[in-house]
Amino acid sequence: DAKTTQPPSMDCAEGRAANLPCNHSTISGNEYVYWYRQIHSQGPQYIIHGLKNNETNEMASLIITEDRKSSTLILPHATLRDTAVYYCIVRAISSGSARQLTFGSGTQLTVLP
Amino acid sequence: ETGVTQTPRHLVMGMTNKKSLKCEQHLGHNAMYWYKQSAKKPLELMFVYNFKEQTENNSVPSRFSPECPNSSHLFLHLHTLQPEDSALYLCASSQDASTSGTVQYFGPGTRLLVL
């Protein structure tokens, strides 16, 4: 699976948009980009995923660059409850079976009042 | 609520005890997973079951023994654990373990302390 690089920490003011970057310069054509978050001591929560096109759901938007080497997760109006570690993960199919999610260190997002 | 439940939520056990962790998913999925998360470390995949068959064992010590009696239930049997096995144990499920675009949904985890 492609390696991902994320900043270790970011702050965001409550009510503002939080933009979390992720670099995955070695991503292959069949690899999806997933975003999960983990609030302290809880199970990871799925946020969004995409392959090529930008995606949006009720939680966030995912912007993938045209060359697919980086992506940005956007939380449009951050709240205090969005404080968590955010993980960017790429996942591929290999020899007919999918490689499993590999969680890195993620980005600790702190939403400030 | 993700549709994946885990019991117990907290467990303290001695090194000579035998205990089991239980996971149940109500999503109609066919794949289930066990992950371990130690303090200050990334999640580590332990086991994968797809359609009740174990498809992955990431060199997990034999003191951890998984069981998947059906697609909705997953157990992790624990015996003669070590203090370094203390961690958050997470269960997840997905529609199918062999499809790249599938999403894994996680339970709340069991916080295990081995004394």
Side-chain angles (χ1 to χ4, degrees), chain A residues 23-41:
Chain A
N23 285 321
H24 30 80
S25 58
T26 59
I27 193 169
S28 301
N30 65 347
E31 289 182 312
Y32 282 79
V33 179
Y34 287 79
W35 283 84
Y36 282 78
R37 72 181 183 185
Q38 188 173 23
I39 297 170
H40 182 62
S41 292

Side-chain angles (χ1 to χ4, degrees), chain A residues 32 34 36 38 41 91 100, chain B residues 33 37 100-102 104 111:
Chain A
Y32 282 79
Y34 287 79
Y36 282 78
Q38 188 173 23
S41 292
R91 181 169 178 255
Q100 302 310 324
Chain B
Y33 312 76
Q37 188 174 32
S100 180
T102 191
Q104 291 184 24
R111 174 72 61 187

